[in-house]
mmCIF file of all heavy atoms in Angstrom:
data_model
loop_
_atom_site.group_PDB
_atom_site.id
_atom_site.type_symbol
_atom_site.label_atom_id
_atom_site.label_comp_id
_atom_site.label_asym_id
_atom_site.label_seq_id
_atom_site.Cartn_x
_atom_site.Cartn_y
_atom_site.Cartn_z
ATOM 1 N N MET A 27 74.906 138.625 85.961
ATOM 2 C CA MET A 27 75.121 137.436 86.796
ATOM 3 C C MET A 27 75.259 136.187 85.923
ATOM 4 O O MET A 27 76.131 135.350 86.155
ATOM 5 C CB MET A 27 73.955 137.257 87.778
ATOM 6 C CG MET A 27 73.915 138.287 88.877
ATOM 7 S SD MET A 27 72.429 138.153 89.904
ATOM 8 C CE MET A 27 72.522 136.454 90.438
ATOM 9 N N SER A 28 74.388 136.056 84.929
ATOM 10 C CA SER A 28 74.450 134.892 84.039
ATOM 11 C C SER A 28 75.785 134.845 83.294
ATOM 12 O O SER A 28 76.408 133.784 83.190
ATOM 13 C CB SER A 28 73.301 134.923 83.028
ATOM 14 O OG SER A 28 72.068 134.750 83.668
ATOM 15 N N TYR A 30 78.608 136.263 84.193
ATOM 16 C CA TYR A 30 79.661 135.997 85.184
ATOM 17 C C TYR A 30 79.768 134.496 85.448
ATOM 18 O O TYR A 30 80.856 133.932 85.417
ATOM 19 C CB TYR A 30 79.360 136.774 86.471
ATOM 20 C CG TYR A 30 80.205 136.356 87.646
ATOM 21 C CD1 TYR A 30 81.547 136.719 87.727
ATOM 22 C CD2 TYR A 30 79.662 135.585 88.673
ATOM 23 C CE1 TYR A 30 82.330 136.324 88.803
ATOM 24 C CE2 TYR A 30 80.432 135.194 89.757
ATOM 25 C CZ TYR A 30 81.767 135.565 89.811
ATOM 26 O OH TYR A 30 82.539 135.172 90.866
ATOM 27 N N TRP A 31 78.637 133.865 85.700
ATOM 28 C CA TRP A 31 78.656 132.416 85.932
ATOM 29 C C TRP A 31 79.060 131.661 84.667
ATOM 30 O O TRP A 31 79.764 130.662 84.734
ATOM 31 C CB TRP A 31 77.296 131.937 86.424
ATOM 32 C CG TRP A 31 76.975 132.338 87.835
ATOM 33 C CD1 TRP A 31 77.862 132.736 88.806
ATOM 34 C CD2 TRP A 31 75.690 132.406 88.434
ATOM 35 N NE1 TRP A 31 77.192 133.034 89.973
ATOM 36 C CE2 TRP A 31 75.850 132.834 89.776
ATOM 37 C CE3 TRP A 31 74.401 132.147 87.988
ATOM 38 C CZ2 TRP A 31 74.792 132.995 90.652
ATOM 39 C CZ3 TRP A 31 73.340 132.310 88.861
ATOM 40 C CH2 TRP A 31 73.534 132.729 90.178
ATOM 41 N N GLY A 32 78.625 132.154 83.500
ATOM 42 C CA GLY A 32 79.002 131.520 82.236
ATOM 43 C C GLY A 32 80.494 131.591 81.967
ATOM 44 O O GLY A 32 81.064 130.722 81.304
ATOM 45 N N LEU A 33 81.152 132.633 82.492
ATOM 46 C CA LEU A 33 82.607 132.776 82.341
ATOM 47 C C LEU A 33 83.384 131.967 83.378
ATOM 48 O O LEU A 33 84.608 131.978 83.390
ATOM 49 C CB LEU A 33 83.005 134.252 82.446
ATOM 50 C CG LEU A 33 82.637 135.120 81.257
ATOM 51 C CD1 LEU A 33 82.836 136.603 81.580
ATOM 52 C CD2 LEU A 33 83.466 134.721 80.039
ATOM 53 N N GLY A 34 82.653 131.275 84.258
ATOM 54 C CA GLY A 34 83.311 130.431 85.252
ATOM 55 C C GLY A 34 83.298 130.978 86.661
ATOM 56 O O GLY A 34 83.839 130.360 87.573
ATOM 57 N N GLY A 35 82.695 132.152 86.863
ATOM 58 C CA GLY A 35 82.592 132.714 88.208
ATOM 59 C C GLY A 35 81.744 131.817 89.097
ATOM 60 O O GLY A 35 80.818 131.155 88.621
ATOM 61 N N THR A 36 82.070 131.774 90.360
ATOM 62 C CA THR A 36 81.333 130.882 91.265
ATOM 63 C C THR A 36 80.652 131.595 92.424
ATOM 64 O O THR A 36 79.853 130.982 93.124
ATOM 65 C CB THR A 36 82.278 129.806 91.841
ATOM 66 O OG1 THR A 36 83.343 130.465 92.523
ATOM 67 C CG2 THR A 36 82.818 128.908 90.745
ATOM 68 N N ALA A 37 80.935 132.882 92.627
ATOM 69 C CA ALA A 37 80.313 133.594 93.742
ATOM 70 C C ALA A 37 78.799 133.608 93.565
ATOM 71 O O ALA A 37 78.290 133.997 92.526
ATOM 72 C CB ALA A 37 80.846 135.021 93.826
ATOM 73 N N GLY A 38 78.096 133.148 94.557
ATOM 74 C CA GLY A 38 76.641 133.116 94.525
ATOM 75 C C GLY A 38 76.050 131.881 93.881
ATOM 76 O O GLY A 38 74.856 131.623 94.003
ATOM 77 N N LEU A 39 76.863 131.098 93.186
ATOM 78 C CA LEU A 39 76.347 129.923 92.496
ATOM 79 C C LEU A 39 75.813 128.874 93.470
ATOM 80 O O LEU A 39 74.906 128.120 93.145
ATOM 81 C CB LEU A 39 77.447 129.329 91.607
ATOM 82 C CG LEU A 39 77.019 128.383 90.502
ATOM 83 C CD1 LEU A 39 75.999 129.030 89.569
ATOM 84 C CD2 LEU A 39 78.222 127.925 89.703
ATOM 85 N N GLU A 40 76.352 128.875 94.684
ATOM 86 C CA GLU A 40 75.894 127.901 95.685
ATOM 87 C C GLU A 40 74.470 128.178 96.162
ATOM 88 O O GLU A 40 73.858 127.347 96.815
ATOM 89 C CB GLU A 40 76.857 127.874 96.890
ATOM 90 C CG GLU A 40 76.781 129.093 97.782
ATOM 91 C CD GLU A 40 77.531 130.314 97.262
ATOM 92 O OE1 GLU A 40 78.200 130.233 96.216
ATOM 93 O OE2 GLU A 40 77.444 131.365 97.921
ATOM 94 N N THR A 41 73.915 129.346 95.807
ATOM 95 C CA THR A 41 72.556 129.690 96.228
ATOM 96 C C THR A 41 71.504 129.115 95.293
ATOM 97 O O THR A 41 70.316 129.198 95.573
ATOM 98 C CB THR A 41 72.373 131.220 96.291
ATOM 99 O OG1 THR A 41 72.448 131.758 94.974
ATOM 100 C CG2 THR A 41 73.419 131.856 97.191
ATOM 101 N N VAL A 42 71.942 128.543 94.177
ATOM 102 C CA VAL A 42 71.034 128.003 93.174
ATOM 103 C C VAL A 42 71.281 126.504 93.073
ATOM 104 O O VAL A 42 72.392 126.086 92.736
ATOM 105 C CB VAL A 42 71.266 128.690 91.806
ATOM 106 C CG1 VAL A 42 70.272 128.204 90.782
ATOM 107 C CG2 VAL A 42 71.209 130.198 91.955
ATOM 108 N N ALA A 43 70.258 125.705 93.350
ATOM 109 C CA ALA A 43 70.426 124.251 93.379
ATOM 110 C C ALA A 43 70.985 123.709 92.073
ATOM 111 O O ALA A 43 71.912 122.906 92.074
ATOM 112 C CB ALA A 43 69.095 123.580 93.706
ATOM 113 N N ILE A 44 70.452 124.137 90.952
ATOM 114 C CA ILE A 44 70.918 123.638 89.662
ATOM 115 C C ILE A 44 72.363 124.069 89.407
ATOM 116 O O ILE A 44 73.132 123.362 88.764
ATOM 117 C CB ILE A 44 69.972 124.067 88.515
ATOM 118 C CG1 ILE A 44 70.284 123.273 87.250
ATOM 119 C CG2 ILE A 44 70.049 125.554 88.279
ATOM 120 C CD1 ILE A 44 69.270 123.443 86.156
ATOM 121 N N GLY A 45 72.749 125.222 89.930
ATOM 122 C CA GLY A 45 74.124 125.708 89.775
ATOM 123 C C GLY A 45 75.108 124.820 90.496
ATOM 124 O O GLY A 45 76.207 124.557 89.993
ATOM 125 N N GLN A 46 74.735 124.332 91.661
ATOM 126 C CA GLN A 46 75.607 123.444 92.418
ATOM 127 C C GLN A 46 75.786 122.124 91.695
ATOM 128 O O GLN A 46 76.873 121.565 91.643
ATOM 129 C CB GLN A 46 75.010 123.163 93.803
ATOM 130 C CG GLN A 46 75.010 124.345 94.716
ATOM 131 C CD GLN A 46 74.339 124.021 96.046
ATOM 132 O OE1 GLN A 46 73.678 123.007 96.211
ATOM 133 N NE2 GLN A 46 74.516 124.908 97.003
ATOM 134 N N GLU A 47 74.705 121.653 91.124
ATOM 135 C CA GLU A 47 74.723 120.329 90.501
ATOM 136 C C GLU A 47 75.429 120.302 89.150
ATOM 137 O O GLU A 47 76.104 119.328 88.824
ATOM 138 C CB GLU A 47 73.279 119.830 90.341
ATOM 139 C CG GLU A 47 73.169 118.401 89.896
ATOM 140 C CD GLU A 47 71.733 117.902 89.894
ATOM 141 O OE1 GLU A 47 70.853 118.568 90.463
ATOM 142 O OE2 GLU A 47 71.512 116.829 89.306
ATOM 143 N N PHE A 48 75.278 121.368 88.371
ATOM 144 C CA PHE A 48 75.752 121.325 86.991
ATOM 145 C C PHE A 48 76.849 122.334 86.653
ATOM 146 O O PHE A 48 77.209 122.475 85.484
ATOM 147 C CB PHE A 48 74.578 121.526 86.025
ATOM 148 C CG PHE A 48 73.519 120.467 86.170
ATOM 149 C CD1 PHE A 48 72.254 120.799 86.628
ATOM 150 C CD2 PHE A 48 73.796 119.148 85.865
ATOM 151 C CE1 PHE A 48 71.273 119.827 86.771
ATOM 152 C CE2 PHE A 48 72.829 118.162 86.000
ATOM 153 C CZ PHE A 48 71.558 118.506 86.458
ATOM 154 N N ALA A 49 77.383 123.022 87.630
ATOM 155 C CA ALA A 49 78.435 124.012 87.380
ATOM 156 C C ALA A 49 79.582 123.387 86.584
ATOM 157 O O ALA A 49 80.031 122.285 86.872
ATOM 158 C CB ALA A 49 78.946 124.577 88.703
ATOM 159 N N GLY A 50 80.019 124.095 85.564
ATOM 160 C CA GLY A 50 81.146 123.635 84.756
ATOM 161 C C GLY A 50 80.770 122.741 83.593
ATOM 162 O O GLY A 50 81.592 122.507 82.699
ATOM 163 N N LYS A 51 79.553 122.238 83.563
ATOM 164 C CA LYS A 51 79.122 121.379 82.447
ATOM 165 C C LYS A 51 78.909 122.265 81.211
ATOM 166 O O LYS A 51 78.314 123.333 81.306
ATOM 167 C CB LYS A 51 77.823 120.664 82.789
ATOM 168 C CG LYS A 51 77.880 119.847 84.057
ATOM 169 C CD LYS A 51 78.081 118.418 83.751
ATOM 170 C CE LYS A 51 77.923 117.609 85.032
ATOM 171 N NZ LYS A 51 78.964 116.692 85.240
ATOM 172 N N PRO A 52 79.398 121.819 80.046
ATOM 173 C CA PRO A 52 79.284 122.651 78.843
ATOM 174 C C PRO A 52 77.850 123.073 78.515
ATOM 175 O O PRO A 52 77.609 124.218 78.142
ATOM 176 C CB PRO A 52 79.869 121.761 77.740
ATOM 177 C CG PRO A 52 80.787 120.834 78.454
ATOM 178 C CD PRO A 52 80.155 120.596 79.806
ATOM 179 N N TRP A 53 76.886 122.179 78.663
ATOM 180 C CA TRP A 53 75.508 122.538 78.328
ATOM 181 C C TRP A 53 74.971 123.586 79.303
ATOM 182 O O TRP A 53 74.201 124.460 78.913
ATOM 183 C CB TRP A 53 74.589 121.313 78.296
ATOM 184 C CG TRP A 53 74.347 120.687 79.645
ATOM 185 C CD1 TRP A 53 75.041 119.663 80.207
ATOM 186 C CD2 TRP A 53 73.345 121.073 80.591
ATOM 187 N NE1 TRP A 53 74.541 119.386 81.453
ATOM 188 C CE2 TRP A 53 73.487 120.237 81.713
ATOM 189 C CE3 TRP A 53 72.344 122.036 80.608
ATOM 190 C CZ2 TRP A 53 72.677 120.347 82.836
ATOM 191 C CZ3 TRP A 53 71.532 122.135 81.724
ATOM 192 C CH2 TRP A 53 71.698 121.285 82.819
ATOM 193 N N PHE A 54 75.395 123.519 80.572
ATOM 194 C CA PHE A 54 74.947 124.488 81.570
ATOM 195 C C PHE A 54 75.549 125.862 81.278
ATOM 196 O O PHE A 54 74.868 126.892 81.399
ATOM 197 C CB PHE A 54 75.308 124.011 82.984
ATOM 198 C CG PHE A 54 74.786 124.905 84.069
ATOM 199 C CD1 PHE A 54 73.418 125.046 84.270
ATOM 200 C CD2 PHE A 54 75.647 125.603 84.889
ATOM 201 C CE1 PHE A 54 72.918 125.864 85.271
ATOM 202 C CE2 PHE A 54 75.161 126.428 85.897
ATOM 203 C CZ PHE A 54 73.790 126.562 86.085
ATOM 204 N N ILE A 55 76.797 125.879 80.866
ATOM 205 C CA ILE A 55 77.445 127.140 80.492
ATOM 206 C C ILE A 55 76.722 127.752 79.289
ATOM 207 O O ILE A 55 76.476 128.964 79.249
ATOM 208 C CB ILE A 55 78.947 126.917 80.212
ATOM 209 C CG1 ILE A 55 79.646 126.527 81.523
ATOM 210 C CG2 ILE A 55 79.581 128.145 79.583
ATOM 211 C CD1 ILE A 55 81.056 126.015 81.350
ATOM 212 N N ALA A 56 76.340 126.911 78.319
ATOM 213 C CA ALA A 56 75.599 127.407 77.152
ATOM 214 C C ALA A 56 74.251 127.988 77.579
ATOM 215 O O ALA A 56 73.826 129.039 77.073
ATOM 216 C CB ALA A 56 75.399 126.282 76.137
ATOM 217 N N VAL A 57 73.582 127.329 78.515
ATOM 218 C CA VAL A 57 72.300 127.831 79.018
ATOM 219 C C VAL A 57 72.494 129.180 79.706
ATOM 220 O O VAL A 57 71.676 130.095 79.537
ATOM 221 C CB VAL A 57 71.636 126.807 79.971
ATOM 222 C CG1 VAL A 57 70.484 127.423 80.749
ATOM 223 C CG2 VAL A 57 71.162 125.593 79.190
ATOM 224 N N LEU A 58 73.557 129.316 80.470
ATOM 225 C CA LEU A 58 73.831 130.593 81.137
ATOM 226 C C LEU A 58 74.027 131.713 80.117
ATOM 227 O O LEU A 58 73.504 132.825 80.291
ATOM 228 C CB LEU A 58 75.064 130.472 82.033
ATOM 229 C CG LEU A 58 74.879 129.659 83.307
ATOM 230 C CD1 LEU A 58 76.224 129.403 83.975
ATOM 231 C CD2 LEU A 58 73.926 130.360 84.269
ATOM 232 N N TRP A 59 74.768 131.445 79.056
ATOM 233 C CA TRP A 59 74.994 132.463 78.025
ATOM 234 C C TRP A 59 73.699 132.777 77.278
ATOM 235 O O TRP A 59 73.418 133.936 76.972
ATOM 236 C CB TRP A 59 76.093 132.020 77.055
ATOM 237 C CG TRP A 59 77.443 132.246 77.656
ATOM 238 C CD1 TRP A 59 78.199 131.339 78.354
ATOM 239 C CD2 TRP A 59 78.177 133.469 77.666
ATOM 240 N NE1 TRP A 59 79.354 131.926 78.788
ATOM 241 C CE2 TRP A 59 79.369 133.239 78.380
ATOM 242 C CE3 TRP A 59 77.943 134.725 77.139
ATOM 243 C CZ2 TRP A 59 80.327 134.221 78.579
ATOM 244 C CZ3 TRP A 59 78.899 135.712 77.339
ATOM 245 C CH2 TRP A 59 80.074 135.458 78.052
#
Side-chain angles (χ1 to χ4, degrees):
M27 289 174 56
S28 293
Y30 168 74
W31 288 341
L33 287 169
T36 58
L39 198 56
E40 72 280 356
T41 67
V42 184
I44 193 170
Q46 291 177 347
E47 188 174 347
F48 300 114
K51 304 260 188 229
W53 69 267
F54 184 65
I55 293 168
V57 167
L58 288 170
W59 281 94

